[in-house]
Amino acid sequence: MNFPFFPEVSRRRLLAGIGSVPLAAATTTSTADRERPGPPQEIRGRRRTTVLRGADLVLTMDPEVGEGPLGTLEGGTDVLLHNGRIAAVGKDLDVPHGTRVVAVSGQLVLPGFVDLHNHLWQSSIRGGCATQDLYGWLAGCNRAVLPRIDARDMYRFVHLAALDALQAGVTTVVDWVHPIPYDTSERYIRALDDAGLRFVYAAAQNAADIRLLPKVKKDFLDPLPLASAQVSVHAGMAALRQLRQFREVADDLGVMLNSHVLEHRDDRKDDPVRALREAGAFGPRLLMNHAIHLTDEEIALTGEHDVRVAHCPLSNMRLASGIMPLPALHRHGVRAGLGHDGGTNDTSDMFNVMKAAVGLQRARHEDAEIHPTIPAVLRMATLGGAECIGMDGRIGSLTPGKRADVLVLDPGTLNFAPRFDWTSQIVLNGQPPNVRYVFVDGHLRKAEGELVHVDTERVVREAELAADHVRRAGA
């Protein structure tokens, strides 16, 4: 990889740790520079060259930068972040004077999680309609509450949920946003940007307001370096003409189409796969969420056409929707990632999502080796999710040259220790409090277990105020 300041460094040198990576005429850090920093004092948004020094385990998710399918490196490995990118991975890297050094001996480093499907505004209805299936929940909570949320309160709900995702290790979120007014869209996007996440704003609109899709992208998303867009749709034969119109808008904007597909068995009446095919949308620029009740033929077609899917196991369990046929999709080469799915996941915990994705298939098939395995589900949560949205050239692995979206996990906790098989323990024992550091695009967002420059009590207080407004509006 080529960098403005960095010479070409072969992967062999990176892995062997025998090469240095100098910055121009810079010198290496002193012992004092290598001290673990205290609570962050830097200006919010400032990006510094950073080295994560001496990790006991690094999972790069790149087999060419490490061993095996997860790119495993053990025993004192450094990860250097410069100008928002992964600059180098190896042992005893030389770094410039003034580099921020984070001592991570005894800790684990991996790429940030990619949450492939969410509805962050649904933090407003956490725990709601708990006795209902999908249709009951949609009627009693989702559709009942959304119209009561004004622009100011939308910011509060989204900001809360985005920070929750960030502190739990999600560095990229695909947020499927229901039809909302233009001014509310501005507040929604501002909340995401203020949280510091990389995000895909997957906007849905009513057919009468289709013109808002390119306007929102141009006005609010294009100026933000961590933002991108998708067009969200409802797929069904009854609205095939509108589906074609939305597909044309997505094509004009050069973005993916994003649709809920066969989440509930009664969705079969809409024949969504046929609708997507007839609309010319069934291909690699389509992300299908849930995809639970596919026929064998539809599974094969999904693989043949390189359609991507988002698996949301906790939400599917909560709403009694069923279990995605993930092993069959995998056999047909379908690219899949993991999602939280908003209010019906009730919190942000990719560790729990991974464990559920593994456990559901093992229970259904009574086979401990069925897909997804532990390594496979870790890949789904990182590089696999990035592949599904066409961002794997930028994020999802710790490959030098990619954007610096990085997690540091602390295994020295009651829920995680003692060490036996750390890779498996990430999935089976990990929890959000194990997330010690989070970097998004090289920016420090969480340090020493605390979000950087976030008044959590105020965020919660404002979300409670917004919830009170919603309750009073529905009284």
Side-chain angles (χ1 to χ4, degrees), residues 6 34 49 51 97 120 145 222 261-262 314 323 336 413 447 458:
F6 287 81
R34 301 186 184 192
T49 298
V51 64
H97 180 76
L120 292 175
V145 171
D222 289 350
V261 173
L262 294 169
L314 290 179
I323 303 173
T413 58
R458 179 179 178 183

Side-chain angles (χ1 to χ4, degrees), residues 27-43:
T27 60
T28 59
T29 54
S30 66
T31 301
D33 290 327
R34 301 186 184 192
E35 294 177 359
R36 181 188 294 269
Q41 300 297 323
E42 64 196 59
I43 298 172

Side-chain angles (χ1 to χ4, degrees), residues 364-380:
R364 163 173 272 189
H365 296 276
E366 299 181 43
D367 180 356
E369 297 181 352
I370 196 73
H371 180 83
T373 62
I374 296 290
V377 84
L378 277 165
R379 193 181 187 282
M380 287 176 69

Side-chain angles (χ1 to χ4, degrees), residues 62-132:
D62 184 342
E64 296 189 37
V65 186
E67 302 296 327
L70 299 186
T72 302
L73 295 166
E74 297 190 72
T77 301
D78 303 338
V79 179
L80 183 61
L81 319 180
H82 172 68
N83 198 26
R85 296 181 182 271
I86 304 295
V89 181
K91 296 181 185 295
D92 300 320
L93 297 177
D94 288 342
V95 299
H97 180 76
T99 292
R100 173 175 51 202
V101 178
V102 179
V104 293
S105 176
Q107 299 183 56
L108 293 61
V109 178
L110 64 155
F113 295 133
V114 177
D115 178 1
L116 205 54
H117 184 60
N118 215 323
H119 308 280
L120 292 175
W121 72 267
Q122 290 176 355
S123 64
S124 60
I125 48 178
R126 282 177 170 171
C129 301
T131 63
Q132 302 296 315

